[in-house]
Amino acid sequence: MTHGDGMLPDALCFQSPEPLIDIGANLTHESFNHDLDAVLERAARANLTAMVLTGTDRASIEASAALTEQSHPVALYATAGLHPHHAGEFDNSLQRFIEGYLDHPRVLAVGECGLDYHRNFSSPSDQRRAFEAHLEMAARTKKPLFLHERDAGSDMLDMLGQWRDDIGPAVIHCFTGDKQTLYGYLDMDLYVGQTGWLCDERRGEHLRELVGDIPADRLMIETDCPYLLPRNLPARLKGRRHEPALLPWICREIAACRGVSEAELARQTTSNARAFFNITDSI
Ligand SMILES: [Zn+2]
């Protein structure tokens, strides 16, 4: 049995009891090219009220900003920045390109940007140079920062520490690190984004305990789709693409880990996202 356009099994059509905001969706990924309208319809049915599309390079920044200008069943916003994987491409022309989009009324944050030493697709020194430029753009524009960090907590904390007094709010998206790094971020008053990573009984176990340590007013939720399909879905969907309509499953799992109701977690994280990104539209 399938629902609507036949893409999502009925078992997965689960509606959040309260509106949700997905703060990290890579909807310009090629896997959404063929059915984006249906994806947005399903997200609206799942009770998502807004999404922030992640701009990670020239093409995704341009395409994400363009999507926010059209009318959709879910309010769309975007970010503009260069993912650390692409840091080797960062130059003056790309910086001007990003700065141009930071004036766009629906581009709400600088990023994603940061450090990823897990795979080092760009050299660590290139990553630090590009990240420094993003910190400077955030300080100058007073826009919030959407941060990515993997296996680079110590350098990230050092660099943020040097800029903390000059930049505004910042979220460490898809946090998967250890307790010490988390506490370092919380000491800097960062927001923390959680994905379906902690739904994974193998690699997400430490996060299931740590997620309870994030203050309620600092937690936000995201799919990071099409990546990171949650593993708590009721059906095995091997190789399936992750999409925003599945955010209620992540909300449910985090609520259970924190010992609160889904409705309470939804209300709190949506209110945090609205405040963080300064979303004032009546969505
Ligand atoms: Zn990321």
Side-chain angles (χ1 to χ4, degrees), residues 10-213:
D10 271 348
L12 300 187
C13 291
F14 164 48
Q15 190 178 54
S16 170
E18 295 281 339
L20 297 177
I21 296 181
D22 185 351
I23 68 153
N26 301 282
L27 285 195
T28 62
H29 188 274
E30 59 185 6
S31 64
F32 292 112
N33 287 352
H34 67 289
D35 66 342
L36 185 61
D37 288 345
V39 166
L40 292 168
E41 281 294 337
R42 284 194 290 270
R45 281 205 299 268
N47 206 5
L48 269 71
T49 184
M51 296 176 206
V52 183
L53 311 187
T54 315
T56 59
D57 61 10
R58 208 178 267 266
S60 67
I61 292 168
E62 196 167 14
S64 297
L67 274 178
T68 69
E69 292 164 5
Q70 302 156 4
S71 117
H72 301 286
V74 180
L76 299 186
Y77 304 93
T79 69
L82 187 68
H83 193 286
H85 285 346
H86 309 301
E89 299 163 23
F90 191 77
D91 59 12
N92 288 340
S93 130
L94 192 47
Q95 173 154 0
R96 282 194 300 276
F97 178 84
I98 293 169
E99 283 167 345
Y101 277 96
L102 295 177
D103 288 334
H104 189 293
R106 296 181 81 82
V107 173
L108 304 180
V110 178
E112 83 178 284
C113 58
L115 303 172
D116 190 322
Y117 297 168
H118 183 63
R119 293 198 211 147
N120 278 331
F121 286 142
S122 288
S123 73
S125 64
D126 278 350
Q127 293 187 41
R128 287 191 291 270
R129 182 176 58 90
F131 182 38
E132 184 84 9
H134 284 78
L135 287 162
E136 193 269 325
M137 285 190 271
R140 190 155 29 82
T141 60
K142 300 297 172 207
K143 294 252 182 187
L145 267 164
F146 189 86
L147 301 168
H148 172 106
E149 177 265 305
R150 192 126 184 247
D151 293 351
S154 151
D155 277 8
M156 175 65 91
L157 283 164
D158 275 358
M159 291 181 71
L160 282 174
Q162 286 165 30
W163 283 88
R164 191 63 192 105
D165 293 341
D166 301 306
I167 58 175
V171 59
I172 191 88
H173 111 97
C174 188
F175 175 80
T176 57
D178 60 16
K179 184 170 185 166
Q180 192 186 351
T181 310
L182 175 66
Y183 277 58
Y185 291 143
L186 293 176
D187 284 347
M188 284 194 210
D189 201 24
L190 259 58
Y191 286 75
V192 181
Q194 284 293 287
T195 61
W197 189 286
L198 90 177
C199 304
D200 186 330
E201 68 279 2
R202 300 161 308 166
R203 64 180 183 177
E205 196 175 335
H206 76 291
L207 275 184
R208 302 172 66 81
E209 288 169 26
L210 268 187
V211 74
D213 290 1

